[in-house]
Amino acid sequence: MKTKQIILFASGSGSNVENIIRYFQDKPNVTIAMVLTNKSNAKVLERCNRLNINALYFNKTAFKETDCILDILKCAKPDLIVLAGFLWKVPENIIKAFPNKIINIHPALLPKYGGKGMYGDNVHKAVKMNKDDESGITIHYVNEHYDEGAIIHQAKTKIVSEDKVEDIAAKVHALEYDHFPKVIEQLLLAQ
Ligand code: GAR
């Protein structure tokens, strides 16, 4: 396989970003070209610094009102753009420029618990409140609507009534760490 390039987007802690970086560290056919974040103080920046990965912070203007980020992406020519805990809606100019090349991970079994405001612990709180006996992850293509692109992969975990919100979050994170890098790898292999 020719070397494939991934660009990752994240908004917060970046534990998925770190997991993906580590997964591909020893695989010469996949390179993490860079990590982009919309939070200047996001923990993901510390992780990238420690792991020696290029990282860039951008603001709303650069992302939504200009072609600045689009131009950076076009220059880098990524084989896949991966949203790993990224909370802004991706503008249409970027979606149009990278058809079927942008994927997202959502911490629930879509179409349940998707849409604006449904991210991170908000999702797990809703799962707990509704007394669901399962939750999981959804990896999907990104389109103009929050969490509505075609589903690529889902995985489930059991939830018991004793599980607190942080227990549900931990179960879902464990699924993310296990499945997300492998799904990324499969998508790259299939290109
Ligand atoms: C992950 O659980 C991811 O699924 C979720 O944010 C978390 C980021 O954790 N994404 C969304 O909620 C997107 N709607 P991390 O920063 O530790 O990887």
Side-chain angles (χ1 to χ4, degrees):
M1 178 169 95
K2 176 177 150 277
T3 300
K4 302 280 185 176
Q5 302 240 35
I6 313 176
I7 290 184
L8 297 163
F9 278 76
S11 297
S13 164
S15 69
N16 273 286
V17 164
E18 176 154 0
N19 181 57
I20 293 164
I21 292 169
R22 289 191 182 281
Y23 182 87
F24 289 111
Q25 231 161 23
D26 302 324
K27 304 195 183 215
N29 292 336
V30 178
T31 309
I32 311 298
M34 69 181 112
V35 175
L36 296 171
T37 184
N38 61 317
K39 275 261 157 65
S40 60
N41 59 353
K43 193 172 166 195
V44 70
L45 289 169
E46 287 169 42
R47 295 186 196 263
C48 290
N49 192 27
R50 179 163 38 82
L51 296 161
N52 224 357
I53 296 288
N54 287 329
L56 183 76
Y57 155 73
F58 60 85
N59 64 18
K60 212 167 229 165
T61 312
F63 194 50
K64 300 200 171 185
E65 287 156 33
T66 68
D67 282 344
C68 180
I69 298 304
L70 175 66
D71 289 343
I72 288 173
L73 294 174
K74 277 185 173 165
C75 249
K77 295 193 181 67
D79 295 286
L80 202 61
I81 296 170
V82 177
L83 312 187
F86 182 65
L87 304 183
W88 282 356
K89 198 154 146 188
V90 178
E92 222 174 292
N93 61 346
I94 295 180
I95 289 173
K96 287 224 166 91
F98 295 94
N100 285 327
K101 286 225 154 99
I102 312 178
I103 65 168
N104 177 47
I105 190 158
H106 187 76
L109 295 168
L110 291 174
K112 283 180 111 178
Y113 308 116
K116 196 167 164 51
M118 273 298 183
Y119 58 85
D121 276 354
N122 292 350
V123 173
H124 309 310
K125 280 178 194 158
V127 167
K128 171 88 187 151
M129 224 167 65
N130 287 337
K131 301 186 169 46
D132 287 3
D133 61 3
E134 64 175 18
S135 189
I137 59 164
T138 304
I139 297 165
H140 64 94
Y141 287 107
V142 172
N143 66 14
E144 307 73 27
H145 307 287
Y146 270 116
D147 305 322
E148 286 183 18
I151 292 176
I152 301 163
H153 180 83
Q154 291 187 304
K156 291 179 181 177
T157 182
K158 285 245 162 300
I159 305 297
V160 292
S161 54
E162 295 78 33
D163 281 340
K164 300 191 196 76
V165 170
E166 57 265 36
D167 300 321
I168 301 174
K171 286 181 176 182
V172 168
H173 260 123
L175 280 182
E176 294 183 329
Y177 301 151
D178 186 20
H179 289 254
F180 204 15
K182 291 178 194 152
V183 170
I184 293 168
E185 190 171 35
Q186 278 163 17
L187 288 173
L188 291 171
L189 278 173
Q191 282 180 353

